[in-house]
Each structure stands twice: as C-alpha cells, then as structure tokens.
Amino acid sequence: MPIVMSETVPKGRGLTVLFELEDLARTRFASAPLPMYELVFTVHSGNWDRLLLPHIRPLAELIRPGRFLPDFFNSAQPDFDDAVCQVLDVPSTRVRDQIASMLGTTSPWLRSFAAGTPTSRQDLRSAFRAGFRDLLGPNWSQTRQSFEAEVRLRSSQAVTRGLGDLLGHLHPSISWTSPALHVELGWDTEISLRGTGMLIVPVLNGLTRPAVSMFAEPQPLLFYPVTAPQPSGASLELALGRTRTLVLRALTCERTTTELAKHVGISLPTASQHATALRTAGFVSTHRNGRSVRHRLTRRGWELLN
C-alpha cells in the first residue's frame, strides 16, 4: 500500500484505525526527524526551486505532485545515509510492481530503474544526496530544533490529558473516538493494528495535511504537519534590514555577485558581504561556475519570503 495523503472529504469518510490496549502501549513518537520522509514530502509538494531539477531528476520522476507516494520510500531511519541504503535495498520486484501500477514506465530512466539496473540505483543515490543537501541541509538544524520542541509539547499533553486526547488533536483532519483513530481520506476503510501500535511522525517540510503508511514495518506510520516559526513578511525588512531584504528578493533568480550588485544598486563588496551573511544563515546557496560565483535562494530562503 502506498503512502496515502489526507484529503478534505465529507465528515465521517476516511481511514478508521482500531486500537487495542497493546496498541496504545506501543504507540510512540519518532525520536528524531526522519530525513527520508522530510525529503520525499518536500519533493512531492512541488514547492522547490526548479533550478535544482537536473540534480534531483530521478526523485522528481518517482515523486509527483498529486500522486500517491510509492511505499518503497518507507524508511524510519533517523540517519539519512542509513535511510538511503534501506530504500535502495528494496527488492526490484517490489519496485517494478509499484512503478508499473502507480507511475508507468514513461521514461528511459524509469524503465531502467524498474528493471533494477545498478546505474539507475546509483542515479537515485546521487539524487537523494543532492536533494538532502539543497532542499533540507541549509535548514536541518532548525528542523531538528522544531521537531524536538513539538515532541516535548505533545509529551506534556499526553501526560496531562491522556494519549487518546493527544491523538485526536494532532490535526483538524484527525480525530479520536475510543477505540478508534480516524483520518480523513478519499476512501473508506477500517484497519485493526493488532498489537503493533503506530509510529507518530511530526513533519516539518513539505507536508500540509496528514499522511499514513499503514503497512510500513515494523509498525504503521502516521505523519502530520508541523509549522516551524518563520518571520512574517511584514517584519522581514525590519528583521534583516532593507538592503539585505532586497538582496534576498533579488536571488529568487540565480545571479552572479556582479549581477546582484547591479540589480540591487550596491557596490560589489557590499553585495558579496550580504550574500555571505545570507548563506551563513542558510537562506542562500553559492557555487562557483568557471570564474564567476553564483548565488540562489535555498528552500529556507523561499520560505522566508513566502
């Protein structure tokens, strides 16, 4: 069963998960943000800079907005390298079946990956690394801090109000009526956990509504979105200063330091200084192309502006 995203549906429709006493005892929160899911949901959202597409194309072919997510991406490993290895070790038959049923072999690379060729697996490994570096890396420290704050808050709620009340207040589309958890989905079904419990995963990147992976091992997964604190648009200039805000806005398009200075109307050293400060804060990435240095917004920079 693929990873299924929640939808807005008439009240009462969706997934009903039946809990037994043992399930409640084994239901727990992830101990740290799970990088594979943070990356997969970010790519699935479509809210990323298309200049990154050449570097993450295999991921973009497998993860498409509006489609279910193949469950061979399931990995609850908190270490990203371990998660990548787990995904790449999924048997070729399982990968082939899911691609055929969900995506179709619509490109040469997908056909190669469905066939299990080593070069296609290496392509995906490289895309994973590039995706984590460019989409999550600049903001990963904040992701960890926000995740830990969320789990502390929820742990306190569980102690003072009980686990059932906690489960029912994770998100407006999730409700709890003992002994069942209900998640709004586009189809109706009822599943019994039968003693496995659930792993609850707060997600900081890409996810806007809950998602479920009911046949993940060793226990089903329930994802829900958490919004990390961000400066408001009205206060951005006050927080960064007018010139640095103009530099940030100018880098919605990739520019060299010289192009940046001309666009904003500042000197070359001043442009370099502001780009360096924004890169240090994780809002801008910089790379060298021949003799020029080029700058662009990171995902965190886009979030800051939006």
Side-chain angles (χ1 to χ4, degrees), residues 6 33 36 51 64 72 77 85 158 269 292:
S6 172
M36 180 57 65
L51 290 172
R64 305 177 191 176
F72 55 73
Q77 296 287 343
C85 289
S292 65

Side-chain angles (χ1 to χ4, degrees), residues 131-146:
F132 185 85
R133 180 191 67 228
D134 294 335
L135 294 173
L136 300 181
N139 199 32
W140 192 245
S141 177
Q142 182 182 350
T143 294
R144 292 188 65 91
Q145 292 172 11
S146 298

Side-chain angles (χ1 to χ4, degrees), residues 153-218:
L153 172 65
R154 298 300 184 176
S155 298
S156 174
Q157 291 177 346
V159 169
T160 58
R161 294 156 52 179
L163 184 58
D165 187 84
L166 165 66
L167 292 172
H169 289 86
L170 292 173
H171 188 271
S173 63
I174 301 174
S175 58
W176 170 263
T177 303
S178 184
L181 183 76
H182 186 81
V183 184
E184 294 175 0
L185 295 175
W187 41 267
D188 292 310
T189 191
E190 184 175 283
I191 294 176
S192 177
L193 291 177
R194 301 186 183 280
T196 64
M198 294 190 84
L199 183 66
I200 303 172
V201 186
V203 177
L204 277 294
N205 297 280
L207 198 64
T208 57
R209 293 183 61 83
V212 293
S213 184
M214 287 306 303
F215 296 106
E217 295 291 343

Side-chain angles (χ1 to χ4, degrees), residues 34 103 257:
L34 303 184
L103 302 173
T257 308

Side-chain angles (χ1 to χ4, degrees), residues 53 56-64 103 106-110:
L53 183 58
I56 66 167
R57 189 176 298 277
L59 269 178
E61 290 202 34
L62 290 168
I63 303 169
R64 305 177 191 176
L103 302 173
T106 55
S107 76
W109 185 86
L110 271 178

